[in-house]
Amino acid sequence: MQIITDSIKYVGVDDHEIDLFEGQFDVPNGMAYNSYLIAAEKTAVMDSVDAHFGDEWISNIKAALAGRLPDFLVVQHMEMDHSGNIKRFMDEFPEAKIVSSKMAFTMMKNMFGTDFAERQIVVGEGASLELCPSDGTHTLKFIAAPNVHWPEVIMTYDTKEKVLFSADAFGKFGANDYADPEGWTCEARRYYFGIVGKFGVNVQSVLKKASTLPIEHICSLHGPVLNDKIQYYIDTYSTWSSYGVESRGVAIGYTSVYGNTKKAAEKLASLLKEKGCPKVSLFDIAREDLHECIEDAFRYGTLVLASTTYNGGVFPVMKNFIENLIERNYQNRKIAFIENGSWAPTAAKSMQALFAESRDITFAQNKVTMKIAMNEDVELQLEKLASELAG
């Protein structure tokens, strides 16, 4: 059992049975559904776990309680991987109260047929819950966090232990019993832009509130407890949620039917490296994990899209990729195009049109147009584009 502070223990579970998180995100290293127990004069369990792990979760809680009974279940987020055992908990511990936002109780009614009306404590922005009512030394303060990433979300700050229970924010893919060699950032980035990326304004609002708090630990609903480099995690989330550029470099995403567009993308990548570009990420959108591609498109300040012309427009897989970027408010970037077409290349025009409503997008002065295969003219165009992007 992981002990986080003198009064907080981890009681969550790891899921190695899952293949796709939320039905779309590949999670080869599993997934963690985090829950925490705060044991003070009163005891509070922070969030439930996925319905498939009810027995393990209840067992973890009882072991951590060591004969005591829980006084509160705090529900910060009603997505099913965190709410699946709420009713199980309330049945198991009939004296416990349930603490959550008003909207969350409406969702409970829809999910379980009850909103636990006789046992509920409704909280919102600025509300607090005393865990040491005799002397007021251990208080939970609640922070409204709507649309990070569901509208009912609250976060919780433990004033005594200086812990931010951050709901899904600061989460990452991967089970906690897997030692991720890439650390927190890579899978946290894929998680953020895949799931939370659309709601940057809302995340910025919550970060502004959090900036006033002395935080020593961040306890997310997914991934490891963050105990050190707290400012790094907050600064990184601030960059992501403000659509800032995290790393200098160029991301090149391509779709290619017979390999010619791929060759042009590879040539551009080679030229950029020769010209000193600090990082070049090259990916085949049709064959690589979509959300890994999305992650890199947001990570770097420049994006090159290389597409075959298809039905007089953009190749379907490329169109889907661009639409996923737009859905997540892709902005504040430079975009360049490589188009290919056997007789009438028009993919670049179609791709640019898809970004018509996007904010703060700069399009490169140079584009590359090829008809079927690489030749000297195409190589010259690639050279000009590389010089522009590396300059």
Side-chain angles (χ1 to χ4, degrees):
M1 182 183 303
Q2 182 183 3
I3 297 174
I4 300 165
T5 69
D6 289 343
S7 64
I8 300 174
K9 297 177 181 179
Y10 179 82
V11 292
V13 300
D14 285 316
D15 182 358
H16 287 288
E17 301 170 13
I18 189 171
D19 58 345
L20 294 177
F21 183 68
E22 293 191 353
Q24 59 178 322
F25 300 98
D26 186 34
V27 283
N29 301 313
M31 202 68 196
Y33 311 126
N34 294 340
S35 176
Y36 309 89
L37 172 73
I38 308 172
E41 188 177 316
K42 298 281 188 179
T43 60
V45 175
M46 304 299 296
D47 291 289
S48 168
V49 300
D50 184 271
H52 296 90
F53 298 90
D55 289 345
E56 182 180 351
W57 179 58
I58 293 294
S59 177
N60 290 347
I61 291 170
K62 289 181 176 179
L65 284 168
R68 297 180 67 183
L69 292 174
D71 294 288
F72 307 107
L73 173 64
V74 179
V75 177
Q76 300 184 113
H77 182 24
M78 278 298 296
E79 195 165 4
M80 281 64 80
D81 53 334
H82 307 299
S83 63
N85 282 288
I86 289 175
K87 190 172 188 306
R88 169 80 182 272
F89 179 96
M90 299 304 282
D91 291 342
E92 190 83 25
F93 304 107
E95 300 303 314
K97 302 282 189 180
I98 186 165
V99 182
S100 200
S101 67
K102 181 178 180 180
M103 182 177 287
F105 284 115
T106 299
M107 292 181 178
M108 288 180 212
K109 180 78 170 179
N110 295 335
M111 187 179 298
F112 304 114
T114 177
D115 60 2
F116 310 99
E118 302 302 315
R119 301 166 66 184
Q120 65 175 240
I121 299 174
V122 180
V123 295
E125 179 68 37
S128 61
L129 179 69
E130 293 293 343
L131 296 185
C132 287
S134 64
D135 59 14
T137 58
H138 203 144
T139 305
L140 301 182
K141 290 188 176 295
F142 298 99
I143 302 166
N147 293 326
V148 185
H149 59 117
W150 278 26
E152 87 298 353
V153 173
I154 55 172
M155 296 182 184
T156 309
Y157 179 69
D158 185 323
T159 59
K160 179 177 175 59
E161 302 289 8
K162 296 180 174 56
V163 173
L164 176 67
F165 295 95
S166 61
D168 269 359
F170 300 98
K172 72 180 286 289
F173 294 121
N176 285 336
D177 61 2
Y178 168 74
D180 192 338
E182 296 181 311
W184 173 83
T185 309
C186 185
E187 284 291 67
R189 185 190 300 109
R190 184 165 73 99
Y191 179 95
Y192 177 85
F193 286 111
I195 296 174
V196 189
K198 178 178 181 178
F199 305 106
V201 171
N202 305 84
V203 176
Q204 284 280 297
S205 176
V206 174
L207 288 175
K208 191 174 293 185
K209 299 175 190 178
S211 68
T212 66
L213 303 172
I215 299 170
E216 295 182 1
H217 312 271
I218 297 176
C219 292
S220 174
L221 289 178
H222 295 293
V225 175
L226 305 178
N227 295 312
D228 57 359
K229 303 188 300 182
I230 296 298
Q231 194 58 49
Y232 166 78
Y233 301 120
I234 292 174
D235 289 347
T236 300
Y237 243 62
S238 181
T239 297
W240 293 346
S241 58
S242 63
Y243 306 98
V245 175
E246 181 184 351
S247 304
R248 288 184 60 235
V250 178
I252 304 173
Y254 67 87
T255 56
S256 188
V257 178
Y258 296 108
N260 293 300
T261 310
K262 176 183 178 180
K263 289 179 181 177
E266 290 174 336
K267 179 64 175 178
L268 178 63
S270 177
L271 289 169
L272 286 168
K273 292 174 184 176
E274 290 174 9
K275 294 178 183 297
C277 186
K279 177 65 178 178
V280 180
S281 171
L282 179 69
F283 47 87
D284 183 340
I285 296 169
R287 291 176 172 82
E288 297 183 31
D289 181 273
L290 172 65
H291 299 286
E292 293 276 5
C293 300
I294 291 170
E295 172 192 351
D296 271 4
F298 277 97
R299 182 175 183 178
Y300 302 106
T302 300
L303 174 64
V304 180
L305 299 173
S307 176
T308 305
T309 299
Y310 193 85
N311 287 337
V314 62
F315 194 71
V317 174
M318 176 64 78
K319 183 178 181 183
N320 177 61
F321 176 63
I322 294 172
E323 287 173 344
N324 269 272
L325 295 181
I326 294 168
E327 182 182 314
R328 290 160 174 79
N329 290 328
Y330 194 72
Q331 58 187 271
N332 192 34
R333 298 294 189 277
K334 187 171 190 174
I335 300 177
F337 301 110
I338 299 173
E339 61 181 356
N340 195 354
S342 298
W343 58 90
T346 59
K349 180 179 179 181
S350 298
M351 287 188 285
Q352 183 166 336
L354 291 171
F355 290 99
E357 302 300 320
S358 299
R359 296 176 52 196
D360 299 322
I361 296 293
T362 301
F363 296 107
Q365 295 179 357
N366 291 280
K367 75 171 181 178
V368 176
T369 298
M370 57 192 300
K371 291 186 177 180
I372 303 179
M374 292 275 288
N375 56 33
E376 289 185 5
D377 178 60
V378 172
E379 291 190 0
L380 180 60
Q381 293 179 60
L382 289 168
E383 177 71 35
K384 289 181 179 178
L385 179 57
S387 294
E388 178 183 350
L389 299 184

